[in-house]
C-alpha cells in the first residue's frame, strides 16, 4: 500500500514538472493529455490504495507513512508523512476523480489558448497541493499543502494575466487566503502548545488529557483554525474573493472553486473532529457561520445576473451546508454532500462554460435566452445538475442535503434553528438554480442561439472582457480565439456525461433505511466521536418528505415567475427595491471590508511612504547621521587650514595638556 | 646654588620661546624663537648634569647644539628658496598645505 | 658670589629672550639672541660645564648666528605690512595664554617636586668635571655612535641646504616657475600596455646595427 499511497502524490507532481519544463518540445494537445493522464494515474493509485485499505482489519485502518524526518528536535516533530485512513482516501478519490474529468474537459475547452501548457502545469500543481493537504499526517504538511493550494488558486485565477480584472481578483483571493493561512498557523500553535506534537493521530489520542484544564486555549486555537477554514471555503466574512474568482477560466472555477479547494475547510473541520468535540463553543461558531453563509449566499444568488457568479454563490451556500454539518457533528452527512456537490457543481460549471462559449465570451444572463434547441446536450446537463442541486429526489443532492439537516435536528435544542435555516436555504436554492436555467434556456432564442441553430458558432468582432467590456486580443495572457461548446467536442461530452451519471446515481450510497455504504466506510475515522447522531425514524421520514416538497415548490415558483408570467420578476424587484438592492450589492460586504480593512491599511502605507519614510527615516536617521558626519568632518577640516602658527598653537596646547596630566598624576 | 633656579630660568625661556613661535609672522624670527626653546632645554640638561654629578648631560647638550645647527641650516635654506621665488616671507601667506 | 653672577646671567638670558620675541626688526632680534647665548654661556660656566660654554660661544653664537646674519641680510629686514592676519584674531591672546600656562605648569613641576636633590647644589665634583678631557673621553668611548651619527647629520644638513637654495639654470634667472605638467610622463609611458608590448605613445628608435645591410 505504501507505493500506491506515495504514487498518488508523485503522479501529479510529475505531470507539473513535465509540462512546466518540456512545454516547448511537446506538440499540440500533448500537454493536456499528459496532465489528464497524470491525474488519471493518481486516481488509479488512489483506488489501489483504497482497495488495500479495505483489506485491513477495522482497527488498523489509520496508517501513517513517513518519507523523511524533516525536523525532529527540541520538542518539535516535523516529518514528511502521509496518513492513509478512510477520510483521506475518500477525499483523495473525490479530488482525483473529479479532477481527471475536469482535465479532460479543459483539454478541449482551452484549445488554441496561448497559455495551454502553462494551464495544465498549474492545474496539476493544484491537484498535487490539494492531495498534499488531504493526505497530510501532521500540521506541518497540512499548512504546506494549504499554502500551496492558495498559491495555485492565485496562479489560476490570474491565468489570463493581461486582464486587470483577473489579476485584481487573483490578488484579492490570495490576500484573503493568506489571512486564513495566518489563522491556521496560529491555531496550530495554540494546539501544539498543549499537545506537544504536530502529528494528527498523536494529538487526537491524547486530546482529552492535554486540554483538560486549558479549555480556553483549545477554543481559541480552534476558532483560529476556523478562520483558516472560512477563508479557504469562502464563508462569511471571508467570502468576498469567491465571486471575483470567476475571472479564471471555467475549468478552474469547476475544479477549484466548486469541487476541491473550497472543500478544504470542510475537510479540516472533519479531520479535527476530536478537538472540536471537546469545545462546544467552536462547534457552535462553525455551525452558525455555516448557516448564516448559506442564507446570505442564497439571497445574493437570487439577484445577480452573471451566470458564473450565480453558480459561485450557490457553491458558497452549499459549502455553508457542509460546514454546518461537520461542525454540528454530522460528519458522514457533510462529507457525503461534499462528494455529491463536487459532481453536480462541476457539471454545472462545465455546462455554463459551454453556454458562455456559445455566447462568444459574454457571461451576463440578461443577454441569454432560448438555448434549448440550439444546445441540447448542454441543456440536458444543466437540467441534471439543476435537479441535483435543487435536491429533487432521486438525485444525489437530495439524499445528501437531507441527511445533513436530519442529523443536525437529532441534536435537538437550539440546533433546530439551524435546521429551519437549512430548509429556508433549500427553497432558495431551488429558486435561484431554476431561475438560472429558465432564463438561459427558455424563452425566445437570443441572436447567438439563433446563429447556433443554423449551425454556426457566434464570434464577436473583437474579443472583450466580459466583466467590463474592454477590448482585448488573442495573444498570450488573454483567452484564445476558439470557443468550444460541448456539442462539438468529444472530450467535453465524455467528461460531462460521466459527471451527470454520477450526479444521478451518487445518492445510492446513502439512502436512508436502505444503504449506509459511506457511513460504514468512514466509520474507522469517526469511531472516536462522542456524538452519535442517529435521528429517529420519524424525523428521517419527515425530513425526506419536507425536503422533496420544498425543492419542487421552489422549482414551481421559479417556473411561474420567469416562464409563465414574465413580468413578475420586474414587479417583485420594484416592490422590494431596498431588499433587491441589498442582494444585488452582495450585502455590501465588499464595501464594509474596504472601509474597515483596506482603507486603514492603504492610509498606513501612504503615511509610511510619504511621512514616515521622508521625515523620520530619510530626515532623522539618514539625514541626521550624515549631518553629524558632515559636521564632524567640517570641524576636522577646519583644523587643517594651512596656518603654521595654528598648528604650532595646537602643538603647544597638546604639550600643556600632557604636562597637566603628569602634574595631576604625581600629586 | 639650587638647581631649582636654573630650572626656573629654563622654563621661563622655554615659555618665552613658545610664545614667540606662536606670535611672530616672519619665519626667520620663528626659527630664532625655536633656538630659544632649544637653548632652554640645554640649560635644563646642564643643570641636571651638575645635580647628579654626571657629565653625560653635557654630552647630550652638545648633541642638541649639533641638531640645532642642522635645523637652522635647513630652515634658512627654505627661507632663501622662498625668497628666490618672490613669495612673501610670511608664514600666514604660505599655506598651500591645507585640507 | 655665585648667586650674584647667577642673577646677572639669568636676567640677561631672560632679557635676551624677551628681546628676540618682541623686537620688530629681525636683525635686532638676531642680536638679542646673541646676547642671550652669551648669558647662557655664563650660566654654563657657573654649572661647571666649561667645554659646553666654550662650544656655545664659538659654535652657536659664533657660527650659527653669523649664518643667520647672512640670511637676514640677503632676505632683507623688511617687516611685512601689518595687515590683519587671517588667523590673527585671538591668536596673540591664545599664544600668550598657552605660553603662560606652560610656564606655570613647569614651575609647579619644578618647585612642587619632592625631589630632594633639587634643593641642593649637587654633590661636590672634582676639577675634571665638565673639562674637555672628560667630554672628549666620553664622546669617543661611551657616546661614539651618537657622535658619528651627529656628524653624519651635519653632512646631510649641508647637502640639503645646498640643494634647497641652489639656482637652477645659472645666474640671471631668478624665477623658476614650476609647472606640474613638466613632471608628468608622456601618455602611454610606464603603463602595463607598454610592458606587455602593446602600442604606446613612445616609439622606440629602430636599432642601428653596425655593419649595414646583409643580415647576420
Amino acid at each position: 500500500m505504501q507505493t500506491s499511497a506515495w504514487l498518488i502524490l508523485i503522479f501529479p507532481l510529475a505531470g507539473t514538472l513535465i509540462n512546466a519544463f518540456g512545454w516547448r518540445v511537446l506538440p499540440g494537445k500533448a500537454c493536456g493529455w499528459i496532465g489528464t493522464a497524470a491525474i488519471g494515474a493518481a486516481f488509479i493509485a488512489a483506488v489501489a490504495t483504497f482497495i488495500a485499505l479495505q483489506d485491513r482489519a477495522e482497527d488498523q485502518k489509520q496508517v501513517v507513512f513517513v518519507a523523511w524526518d524533516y525536523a525532529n528536535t527540541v520538542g518539535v516533530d516535523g516529518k514528511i508523512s502521509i496518513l492513509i485512513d478512510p477520510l483521506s482516501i475518500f477525499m483523495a478519490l473525490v479530488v482525483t476523480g473529479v479532477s481527471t474529468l475536469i482535465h479532460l474537459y479543459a483539454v478541449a475547452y482551452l484549445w488554441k489558448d496561448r497559455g495551454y501548457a502553462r494551464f495544465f502545469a498549474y492545474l496539476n500543481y493544484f491537484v498535487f497541493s490539494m492531495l498534499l493537504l488531504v493526505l497530510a499526517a501532521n500540521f506541518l504538511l497540512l499548512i504546506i499543502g494549504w499554502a500551496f493550494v492558495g498559491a495555485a488558486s492565485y496562479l489560476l485565477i490570474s491565468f489570463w494575466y493581461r486582464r486587470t480584472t483577473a489579476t485584481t481578483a487573483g490578488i484579492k483571493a490570495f490576500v484573503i487566503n493568506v489571512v486564513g493561512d495566518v489563522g491556521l498557523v496560529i491555531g496550530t500553535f495554540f494546539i501544539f502548545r498543549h499537545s506537544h506534537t504536530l502529528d494528527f493521530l498523536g494529538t487526537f489520542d491524547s486530546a482529552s488529557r492535554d486540554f483538560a484544564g486549558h479549555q480556553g486555549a483549545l477554543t481559541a486555537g480552534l476558532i483560529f483554525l476556523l478562520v483558516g477554514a472560512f477563508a479557504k471555503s469562502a464563508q462569511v466574512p471571508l467570502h468576498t474573493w469567491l465571486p471575483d474568482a470567476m475571472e479564471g477560466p471555467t475549468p478552474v472555477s469547476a475544479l477549484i472553486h466548486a469541487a476541491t479547494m473550497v472543500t478544504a475547510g470542510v475537510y479540516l473541520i472533519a479531520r479535527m473532529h476530536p478537538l472540536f468535540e471537546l469545545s462546544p463553543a467552536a462547534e457552535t461558531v462553525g455551525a452558525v457561520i455555516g448557516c448564516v453563509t448559506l442564507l446570505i449566499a442564497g439571497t445574493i444568488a437570487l439577484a445577480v445576473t452573471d451566470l458564473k457568479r450565480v453558480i459561485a454563490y450557490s457553491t458558497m451556500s452549499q459549502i455553508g451546508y457542509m460546514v454546518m454539518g461537520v461542525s454540528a457533528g454530522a460528519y458522514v452527512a457533510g462529507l457525503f454532500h461534499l462528494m455529491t456537490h463536487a459532481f453536480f457543481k462541476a457539471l454545472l460549471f462545465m455546462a455554463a462554460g459551454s453556454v458562455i462559449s456559445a455566447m462568444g465570451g459574454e457571461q451576463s444572463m440578461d443577454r441569454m435566452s432560448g438555448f434549448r434547441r440550439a444546445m441540447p446536450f448542454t441543456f440536458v446537463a444543466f437540467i441534471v445538475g439543476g435537479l441535483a442541486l435543487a435536491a429533487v429526489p432521486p438525485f444525489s443532492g437530495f439524499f445528501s442535503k437531507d441527511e445533513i439537516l436530519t442529523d443536525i435536528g437529532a441534536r435537538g435544542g437550539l440546533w433546530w434553528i439551524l435546521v429551519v435555516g437549512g430548509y429556508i436555504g433549500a427553497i432558495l436554492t431551488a429558486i435561484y438554480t431554476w431561475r438560472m436555467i429558465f432564463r438561459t434556456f427558455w424563452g425566445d432564442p437570443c441572436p447567438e442561439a439563433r446563429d447556433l441553430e443554423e449551425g454556426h458558432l457566434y464570434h464577436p468582432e473583437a474579443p472583450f472582457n466580459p466583466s467590463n467590456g474592454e477590448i482585448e486580443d488573442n495573444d498570450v495572457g488573454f483567452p484564445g480565439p476558439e470557443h468550444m461548446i460541448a456539442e462539438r467536442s468529444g472530450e467535453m461530452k465524455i467528461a460531462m456525461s460521466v459527471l451527470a451519471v454520477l450526479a444521478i446515481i451518487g445518492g445510492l450510497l446513502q439512502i436512508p433505511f436502505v444503504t449506509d455504504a459511506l457511513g460504514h466506510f468512514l466509520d474507522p475515522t469517526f469511531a472516536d466521536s462522542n456524538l452519535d447522531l442517529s435521528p429517529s425514524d420519524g424525523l428521517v421520514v419527515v425530513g425526506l418528505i419536507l425536503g422533496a416538497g420544498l425543492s419542487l415548490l421552489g422549482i414551481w415558483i421559479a417556473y411561474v415567475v420567469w416562464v409563465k408570467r414574465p413580468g413578475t420578476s420586474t414587479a417583485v424587484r420594484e416592490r422590494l427595491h431596498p431588499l433587491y438592492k441589498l442582494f444585488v450589492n452582495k450585502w455590501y460586504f465588499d464595501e464594509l471590508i474596504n472601509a474597515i480593512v483596506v482603507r486603514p491599511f492603504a492610509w498606513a502605507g501612504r503615511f509610511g511612504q510619504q511621512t514616515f519614510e521622508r521625515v523620520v527615516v530619510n530626515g532623522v536617521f539618514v539625514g541626521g547621521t550624515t549631518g553629524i558626519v558632515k559636521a564632524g568632518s567640517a570641524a576636522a577640516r577646519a583644523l587643517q587650514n594651512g596656518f603654521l602658527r595654528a598648528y604650532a598653537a595646537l602643538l603647544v596646547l597638546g604639550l600643556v595638556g600632557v604636562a597637566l596630566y603628569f602634574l595631576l598624576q604625581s600629586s | 646654588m639650587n638647581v631649582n633656579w636654573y630650572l626656573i630660568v629654563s622654563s621661563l625661556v622655554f615659555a618665552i620661546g613658545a610664545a614667540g613661535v606662536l606670535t611672530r609672522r616672519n619665519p626667520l624670527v620663528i626659527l630664532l624663537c625655536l633656538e630659544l626653546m632649544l637653548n632652554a632645554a640645554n640649560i635644563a640638561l646642564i643643570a641636571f648634569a651638575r645635580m647628579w654629578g654626571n657629565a653625560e648631560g653635557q654630552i647630550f647638550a652638545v648633541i642638541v647644539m649639533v641638531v640645532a645647527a642642522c635645523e637652522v641650516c635647513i630652515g634658512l635654506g627654505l627661507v632663501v628658496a622662498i625668497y628666490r621665488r618672490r613669495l612673501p616671507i610670511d608664514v600666514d601667506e604660505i599655506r598651500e598645505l591645507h585640507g | 658670589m655665585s648667586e650674584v653672577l647667577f642673577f646677572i646671567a639669568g636676567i640677561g638670558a631672560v632679557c635676551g629672550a624677551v628681546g628676540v620675541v618682541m623686537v620688530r626688526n629681525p636683525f635686532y632680534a638676531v642680536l638679542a639672541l646673541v646676547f642671550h647665548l652669551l648669558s647662557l654661556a655664563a650660566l654654563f660656566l657657573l654649572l661647571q660645564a666649561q667645554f659646553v660654554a666654550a662650544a656655545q660661544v664659538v659654535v652657536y653664537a659664533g657660527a650659527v648666528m653669523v649664518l643667520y646674519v647672512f640670511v637676514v641680510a640677503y632676505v632683507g629686514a623688511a617687516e611685512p605690512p601689518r595687515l590683519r592676519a587671517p588667523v590673527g584674531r585671538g591668536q596673540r591672546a591664545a599664544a600668550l595664554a598657552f605660553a603662560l600656562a606652560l610656564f606655570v605648569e613647569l614651575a609647579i613641576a619644578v618647585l612642587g617636586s619632592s625631589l630632594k636633590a633639587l634643593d641642593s647644589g649637587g654633590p661636590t665634583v672634582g676639577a675634571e668635571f665638565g673639562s674637555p678631557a672628560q667630554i672628549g673621553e666620553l664622546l669617543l668611548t661611551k657616546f661614539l655612535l651618537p657622535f658619528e651619527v651627529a656628524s653624519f647629520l651635519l653632512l646631510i644638513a649641508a647637502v640639503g641646504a645646498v640643494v634647497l637654495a641652489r639656482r637652477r639654470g645659472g645666474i640671471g634667472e631668478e624665477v623658476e616657475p614650476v609647472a606640474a605638467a613638466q613632471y608628468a610622463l608622456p601618455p602611454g609611458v610606464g603603463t602595463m600596455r607598454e610592458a606587455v608590448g602593446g602600442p604606446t605613445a613612445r616609439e622606440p628608435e629602430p636599432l642601428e646595427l653596425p655593419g649595414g645591410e646583409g643580415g647576420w
Side-chain angles (χ1 to χ4, degrees), chain B residues 12-93:
Chain B
L12 192 55
V13 171
F14 188 83
I16 292 172
V21 166
L22 297 181
T23 318
R24 298 299 296 261
R25 282 166 63 189
N26 193 332
L28 286 168
V29 180
I30 291 180
L31 281 167
L32 283 177
C33 298
L34 272 175
E35 297 303 310
L36 272 181
M37 291 159 84
L38 280 165
N39 277 299
N42 265 353
I43 302 174
L45 278 167
I46 304 291
F48 277 120
R50 176 67 185 88
M51 183 178 98
W52 294 112
N54 194 343
E56 293 176 11
Q58 297 182 0
I59 304 289
F60 201 149
V62 170
I63 304 293
V64 167
M65 270 196 263
V66 168
V67 171
C70 299
E71 163 239 325
V72 159
C73 222
I74 302 296
L76 292 177
L78 273 174
V79 172
V80 166
I82 291 173
Y83 180 72
R84 281 260 179 76
R85 277 154 185 62
R86 306 251 174 102
L87 295 165
I89 310 294
D90 180 355
V91 293
D92 284 345
E93 296 296 324

Side-chain angles (χ1 to χ4, degrees), chain A residues 586-597:
Chain A
K586 305 162 282 179
W587 290 64
Y588 296 110
F589 266 102
D590 274 324
E591 287 77 4
L592 189 68
I593 291 180
N594 193 24
I596 293 181
V597 176

